Amino acid sequence: MNRRSPPWGAIEAFIVAARTGGFRDAAEKLGLSPSAFSRRIQALEEHIGVQLFDRSGPSPQLTAAGRRYLLRLEPGYQALRAATEWMAPDPAHRPLRVGISQSLAISWLLPRLHRFQTREPGIELILQTRSGDIDLLGGAADVGILFGDGQWRHLVSEPLMAVTAEVVCAERLAYDLPPPARIEDLPRHRLLEAVYPANQWRDWFHWAGQPSWSGQERLRFDSLQVLYEAAARGLGVALGVRPLVTPFLESGRLAVAFPGTWAIPGHYHIATAPGRRHDRAVRVFWQWLKEEAGLPENT
């Protein structure tokens, strides 16, 4: 029986971790969250059926099997990187790959993108939408829009826009929360919640000075667009994160259930690998994003 090769991302994670000596630094170098990085290592270990790292100490250490595996892998890894760099076209003549979450692309970037195409017809874009981490250092994208605190040591980044949240629901549910709506009315409704970022409802209750109702019915989603669609169909109440929820509010499919806006810790950032910051396409797109962050959507 033919055995499938392990995923390239898992192999790269293993090699970078072995070189770096720690999962956290290796995750930062690849632009991944620690949990996403650990999943790649675990997937590789499960694929080959061998433990590659000893995790019993303060930092992971290569096992004997891990050292043997690294010794066999590294020459091929280096050869693949060198061959890819040799074949890659001049950066000035290839498309600009933009890493962005699907939710942000649909709600914020796409309604604005025609202005960039009009202004810079010579720059071709490839939008790489995904729900997980954007691998900027590994070369999966040239520039990305990331959410976080901006403390990515191996990336160059700049804040793009703040993120706020409000409690939203379908208009027909809003009638069950007549003004003045009270937070105490929330237990009557199902809470719609995102898998990532986690615990937003818990944090919102804390911000509102209210205890969280642990026994309340919840429905979780790994896509905010699907979550808002569920809220618009009356399946429950949601935390509407701006700018992602803005199109639903402007179309009237969702309504704000309670007064009050919660400033979510963190910002959307523009980010890239240090070596790409001065590429013309990256510079132009970077500046355009900053300008667009200060404009309303329908201009």
Side-chain angles (χ1 to χ4, degrees):
M1 180 186 297
N2 292 330
R3 191 176 187 186
R4 292 177 57 197
S5 299
W8 169 255
I11 292 175
E12 186 171 44
F14 166 70
I15 291 176
V16 174
R19 289 173 173 173
T20 306
F23 283 9
R24 182 170 294 276
D25 284 347
E28 287 187 1
K29 285 185 176 180
L30 293 180
L32 299 172
S33 67
S35 59
F37 185 88
S38 294
R39 286 195 296 271
R40 290 193 181 185
I41 297 296
Q42 290 168 4
L44 181 60
E45 290 178 327
E46 291 172 3
H47 182 89
I48 62 178
V50 173
Q51 184 176 351
L52 300 172
F53 288 93
D54 179 358
R55 300 169 175 81
S56 61
S59 61
Q61 300 294 323
L62 282 171
T63 62
R67 289 192 292 271
R68 291 196 300 270
Y69 193 45
L70 178 66
L71 188 64
R72 299 293 296 270
L73 276 183
E74 272 208 296
Y77 174 78
Q78 295 294 351
L80 281 171
R81 292 293 295 264
T84 302
E85 290 174 4
W86 179 77
M87 287 292 295
D90 185 338
H93 297 96
R94 64 174 172 79
L96 180 69
R97 299 164 300 167
V98 180
I100 184 172
S101 71
Q102 185 180 74
S103 298
L104 188 61
I106 292 172
S107 62
W108 188 82
L109 183 60
L110 290 183
R112 295 167 154 79
L113 204 53
H114 66 280
R115 292 197 283 266
F116 181 79
Q117 293 176 314
T118 299
R119 189 162 103 177
E120 296 291 340
I123 298 179
E124 180 183 348
L125 299 180
I126 297 178
L127 297 188
Q128 298 181 333
T129 59
R130 60 199 66 200
S131 57
D133 298 274
I134 300 167
D135 185 0
L136 294 173
L137 286 170
D142 302 307
V143 64
I145 302 180
L146 310 179
F147 179 77
D149 60 8
Q151 300 303 308
W152 300 290
R153 288 188 296 161
H154 301 285
L155 296 175
V156 178
S157 65
E158 185 176 355
L160 182 62
M161 52 189 164
V163 180
T164 60
E166 302 161 286
V167 179
V168 299
C169 61
E171 284 194 325
R172 67 183 180 84
L173 282 186
Y175 292 124
D176 293 333
L177 298 167
R182 300 179 308 147
I183 296 176
E184 290 79 3
D185 294 326
L186 272 178
R188 297 164 50 195
H189 299 279
R190 182 187 297 112
L191 297 184
L192 307 182
E193 190 167 39
V195 173
Y196 178 83
N199 301 317
Q200 284 197 341
W201 272 116
R202 182 200 65 187
D203 296 341
W204 182 86
F205 281 118
H206 177 76
W207 170 80
Q210 296 289 329
S212 177
W213 294 290
S214 57
Q216 187 170 4
E217 184 181 359
R218 301 188 183 212
L219 186 58
R220 292 178 169 84
F221 302 84
D222 65 357
S223 164
L224 285 176
Q225 288 295 311
V226 178
L227 186 155
Y228 298 147
E229 188 64 37
R233 293 173 183 267
L235 292 180
V237 296
L239 280 176
V241 178
R242 292 183 185 265
L244 307 182
V245 77
T246 301
F248 286 85
L249 293 171
E250 291 181 344
S251 68
R253 300 192 65 211
L254 288 176
V256 176
F258 296 103
T261 299
W262 173 42
I264 297 178
H267 286 71
Y268 280 112
H269 292 74
I270 324 167
T272 189
R276 298 197 181 277
R277 179 64 181 92
H278 299 293
D279 292 352
R280 180 186 178 276
V282 171
R283 285 189 290 105
V284 169
F285 190 68
W286 190 294
Q287 181 60 36
W288 176 79
L289 285 174
K290 289 172 58 179
E291 294 172 5
E292 286 295 322
L295 292 177
E297 182 171 309
N298 297 317
T299 58

